[in-house]
Amino acid sequence: MKSIVLNRKGIPFFHQKTALEFQQDVYERYHEMVVRQSALHLADELWGKYPFQPVFDFAETHYPNRDISNIVEIGCSVGRWIATLAKAYPKATCWGIDYSYQMLKRANEFWVQGKEIEIDLTEKGFSKIATKGEQLDNLNFGLAKAENLPFEQNSQDLVLNSFLIDRLDNPTKGLQEMYRVLKPNCKLIVVSPLNFNKAKHWQTYFPTNKIYDLLQKIGFEILDWKTDILIDEPLDFRRNMVRWQCLGFVVRK
């Protein structure tokens, strides 16, 4: 792996994130983002289910049916998906990579330190709840950019991400990095609503056949392609929600 540039409360930084980058990153906002993501991904009892289960349903048929050594989720948020894989493959070294320190700190507290966390969504009509974490010895979290991953070439048996590629400054470079770190004949699994927030990204990556062609140009073999994965993200106690229509794809190096 690449050298660690600093370590903050157990989170290694592989990117020197400046004060300005921290200020501009909305995902560093604790209550607005970290508490919200914790509620969505760590507190199923609030919703009566796991709201993002369709991501897992799409992905799980493509997981390796053998022991593997290395798994990474890029854009891991508070760590639900990579923790699920860490439990399924206890012999694997698993990494959750994100650009937000606050998300990584919460993920590390919950999945590595096993701390109990309090989730306060009283402004959305819920009562405060506490949920207990787990201690997974094979799981690590680190700060890096998707376009510059800290892993060696041909090092990962499985690469995952969801709700990420439409938020990258350079989605093409991000996908190229995922290709670089994958071992030959291994898989990348992606789910994204393609909710781009830059005009140039809409022009470059939409409609979805442009992403299909890009993946083949990078060198991926397309194994699965689904354009209508529906995810209903709840907003409040009254069950108002946002519906995401996602693209899911599985490709092999």
Side-chain angles (χ1 to χ4, degrees):
M1 294 184 68
K2 294 181 180 178
S3 299
I4 297 171
V5 297
L6 66 93
N7 196 299
R8 179 184 290 184
K9 293 187 178 180
I11 304 299
F13 282 49
F14 300 97
H15 168 77
Q16 184 69 58
K17 193 168 184 177
T18 66
L20 180 60
E21 288 175 317
F22 269 99
Q23 182 180 356
Q24 293 176 339
D25 186 358
V26 297
Y27 293 95
E28 296 290 1
R29 298 172 187 171
Y30 181 79
H31 194 80
E32 178 183 350
M33 289 296 179
V34 179
V35 174
R36 172 73 182 162
Q37 290 297 307
S38 298
L40 287 172
H41 296 287
L42 306 179
D44 298 1
E45 61 268 36
L46 287 177
W47 323 109
K49 62 179 181 179
Y50 178 43
F52 287 77
Q53 185 64 38
V55 175
F56 290 9
D57 294 342
F58 172 74
E60 64 184 5
T61 60
H62 296 284
Y63 296 152
N65 56 7
R66 55 181 174 82
D67 286 341
I68 54 178
S69 300
N70 297 286
I71 307 171
V72 58
E73 182 188 2
I74 307 162
C76 67
S77 181
V78 294
R80 174 71 175 261
W81 196 3
I82 190 61
T84 300
L85 270 295
K87 288 186 281 188
Y89 297 92
K91 296 181 181 179
T93 298
C94 299
W95 275 91
I97 295 294
D98 205 279
Y99 188 56
S100 165
Y101 166 71
Q102 292 293 343
M103 294 290 185
L104 293 166
K105 183 172 177 286
R106 169 53 53 87
N108 192 65
E109 289 171 345
F110 192 82
W111 296 112
V112 177
Q113 299 175 19
K115 289 185 176 180
E116 181 176 272
I117 62 170
E118 182 181 85
I119 298 174
D120 182 358
L121 281 186
T122 51
E123 81 281 6
K124 299 297 182 181
F126 295 98
S127 300
K128 293 181 183 179
I129 68 165
T131 183
K132 185 72 168 61
E134 302 181 45
Q135 291 182 291
L136 302 177
D137 294 337
N138 62 329
L139 182 53
N140 313 274
F141 293 99
L143 189 147
K145 299 193 77 172
E147 298 96 324
N148 187 18
L149 296 171
F151 307 104
E152 299 297 328
Q153 183 174 345
N154 302 327
S155 63
Q156 301 299 311
D157 296 281
L158 182 62
V159 177
L160 317 161
N161 64 80
S162 64
F163 286 71
L164 172 74
I165 60 173
D166 53 354
R167 290 296 175 262
L168 299 181
D169 291 334
N170 189 334
T172 297
K173 189 173 181 182
L175 290 167
Q176 290 171 334
E177 269 290 271
M178 296 171 207
Y179 182 89
R180 180 186 68 81
V181 303
L182 262 180
K183 294 178 181 177
N185 298 314
C186 291
K187 295 176 183 177
L188 164 67
I189 304 175
V190 174
V191 177
S192 173
L194 302 182
N195 180 36
F196 300 109
N197 55 16
K198 295 182 180 179
K200 66 178 181 180
H201 288 169
W202 283 105
Q203 295 162 5
T204 303
Y205 303 106
F206 195 83
T208 57
N209 66 287
K210 292 182 179 180
I211 297 176
Y212 194 103
D213 293 342
L214 172 62
L215 291 166
Q216 291 185 314
K217 183 177 180 181
I218 291 171
F220 286 114
E221 174 191 1
I222 312 293
L223 300 179
D224 197 359
W225 186 267
K226 189 172 183 180
T227 59
D228 59 350
I229 299 173
L230 298 180
I231 298 173
D232 292 327
E233 178 180 331
L235 298 176
D236 56 32
F237 185 72
R238 196 165 182 261
R239 299 299 190 262
N240 291 306
M241 63 183 63
V242 174
R243 169 162 284 188
W244 301 105
Q245 181 172 322
C246 297
L247 168 67
F249 61 81
V250 182
V251 293
R252 179 165 56 202
K253 182 173 180 178

